[in-house]
Amino acid sequence: VQLVESGGGLVQAGGSLRLSCAASGITFSVYNMGWYRQAPGRQRELVASITSGCTPNYADSVKGRFTISRDNAKNTLYLQMNSLKPEDTAVYYCNAYYAGVKYWGKGTLVTVSS
């Protein structure tokens, strides 16, 4: 199983980035998927999730700014991040969850400068 994140980078406050997570080795369509983030010195937190039926859920801190989506034909999860803030700076991780089994990617760094 591999979850490979991409799309991170350095962006100014107010800017946008789109993260991607390419999944392999799993039946992607049955998995609930999520994006988590971990800032230096802080615990990993849920940013957004999407069920196998495409129902999204967002942390209050990103509602209205971030959009999670999935393309089951491409086995890919996305996170569109708009109006980025310095406090969004973190390593962003892709997560796949089904029937008690969780998989994690290695993360992609997002840095938002003020």
Side-chain angles (χ1 to χ4, degrees):
V1 176
Q2 277 196 313
L3 300 176
V4 181
E5 302 96 336
S6 61
L10 174 64
V11 63
Q12 287 189 332
S16 299
L17 284 174
R18 188 174 85 151
L19 305 184
S20 299
C21 170
S24 60
I26 60 172
T27 305
F28 182 78
S29 60
V30 306
Y31 276 74
N32 299 313
M33 301 295 298
W35 288 99
Y36 287 72
R37 68 186 180 188
Q38 187 167 18
R42 301 190 67 176
Q43 289 190 332
R44 192 173 296 190
E45 62 176 0
L46 176 66
V47 175
S49 63
I50 186 166
T51 68
S52 57
C54 295
T55 299
N57 180 60
Y58 298 95
D60 287 343
S61 59
V62 306
K63 279 182 182 175
R65 300 189 298 122
F66 291 9
T67 302
I68 189 170
S69 62
R70 62 191 298 162
D71 186 335
N72 290 341
K74 295 182 178 180
N75 290 351
T76 302
L77 176 72
Y78 302 100
L79 185 68
Q80 178 66 44
M81 305 187 295
N82 298 328
S83 302
L84 282 160
K85 304 176 180 180
E87 51 263 43
D88 294 318
T89 294
V91 177
Y92 284 71
Y93 297 91
C94 176
N95 170 267
Y97 175 77
Y98 175 71
V101 177
K102 278 190 178 180
Y103 298 106
W104 292 93
K106 294 184 178 181
T108 185
L109 177 63
V110 171
T111 304
V112 184
S113 63
S114 56

